[in-house]
Amino acid sequence: MKEEAKTKNDDVQAIDSKGQQSGKKRKKPKEVAIFGNYRNYYSYRIDQGLEEDPRIKVMKKEWFEGKNCLDIGCNSGLITITIAKKFGCRKILGIDIDSVLHFPARIEDSNWNLRRIVKMSERKKDPPPDNSKVTGTDGVTNLQDKTSVGISGDSPASHLFDIVSFKKDNFVQGWSTPADKLYDTILCLSVSKWIHLNWGDEGLITLFSKVWRLLQPGGVFILEPQPWKSYISNRQVSEVATTNYKNLEIFPERFQEILLDKIGFREIENLSSSLSGSKSGFNRPILALWK
């Protein structure tokens, strides 16, 4: 009976010595994202008040317009969707390993964001009757706030459903494509550290090699690697990460050398010089590499 009573008490607010509720509630489970796909990640790293992720500003339309694109580690899909809208991809696939205990799946978040943005875009493109000016009973005209997300071009916003898709999978270990399936542009933004910590140096080389194989000749790989100090901060996110961290022999400052000399990329450009708007700690290099 004591155990049963204890279990019931765990589900209610605590009672103090005077018989009153103390206001203490059971804590919600803490998010542990061992692969780095934190919920609301974008709000952690982007200054408030910006209309779009500052990383988008360093990317060129020619890399995406009419192209088949892949976004590795898409999280909640906001970058994926923004690129499709702004640059007019032919197709873009966002892939995420999507494993965070006790929290909604990231791919569910991605598809929800896609539906939300399409709905808001179509509302703006074909707005309801203008009720922004409403005359109150006192005869005073009040202005109502109207906020929406636009979409460029003349195509209906619903075409985004044909352009953008999301898939749950492990790019390094499990995901495969037909031999003739190649991409013009592949993104990997703030993901390489998590692959490195979870699968070691071998996993990192697998990432780079697989991207190279999946790119069309002349295709571009956009990489945002995290600095070593970021590894130190996250080395204890799991036992696997702790073990791999101790055994790493490839460090971020060597990535460019490996990508050019070992993997086979022919050209590299650092896009970071014009990057601004990220919160402190997220001013990371963004590299464009051509096959």
Side-chain angles (χ1 to χ4, degrees), residues 230-249:
S230 179
Y231 283 67
I232 297 172
S233 301
N234 295 112
R235 69 189 186 280
Q236 295 180 331
V237 72
S238 69
E239 292 183 9
V240 170
T242 300
T243 300
N244 283 332
Y245 171 81
K246 295 175 181 177
N247 296 317
L248 296 180
E249 296 182 359

Side-chain angles (χ1 to χ4, degrees), residues 20-48:
Q20 297 177 337
Q21 288 184 343
S22 66
K24 295 181 179 179
K25 296 182 180 180
R26 294 181 66 190
K27 293 182 178 180
K28 293 181 180 179
K30 183 178 179 181
E31 181 181 25
V32 179
I34 62 173
F35 303 114
N37 48 353
Y38 293 97
R39 193 173 180 82
N40 299 322
Y41 167 77
Y42 298 107
S43 64
Y44 297 156
R45 66 166 295 161
I46 302 170
D47 282 339
Q48 293 183 356

Side-chain angles (χ1 to χ4, degrees), residues 52-61 63-64 86-87 189 222 269-276 284-288:
E52 66 180 11
D53 191 307
R55 293 173 293 181
I56 297 292
K57 296 177 181 177
V58 302
M59 299 181 190
K60 298 179 181 179
K61 188 173 185 177
W63 299 340
F64 303 98
K86 183 168 184 175
F87 298 126
L189 305 177
I222 302 171
E269 178 183 348
N270 191 326
L271 308 175
S272 312
S273 59
S274 56
L275 182 65
S276 62
R284 299 166 178 169
I286 299 180
L287 310 174

Side-chain angles (χ1 to χ4, degrees), residues 129-196:
D130 186 4
N131 296 321
S132 59
K133 294 183 178 181
V134 179
T135 302
T137 56
D138 56 358
V140 177
T141 299
N142 301 313
L143 296 179
Q144 295 180 341
D145 178 52
K146 296 187 293 183
T147 304
S148 61
V149 177
I151 180 169
S152 59
D154 296 326
S155 299
S158 59
H159 283 193
L160 274 178
F161 290 129
D162 299 324
I163 297 169
V164 182
S165 59
F166 298 100
K167 181 179 178 62
K168 174 185 175 181
D169 217 327
N170 184 331
F171 180 81
V172 172
Q173 291 196 322
W175 190 62
S176 59
T177 60
D180 60 346
K181 178 63 176 178
L182 298 176
Y183 294 91
D184 301 291
T185 302
I186 298 179
L187 300 108
C188 184
L189 305 177
S190 286
V191 173
S192 57
K193 172 189 71 178
W194 298 106
I195 291 174
H196 212 177

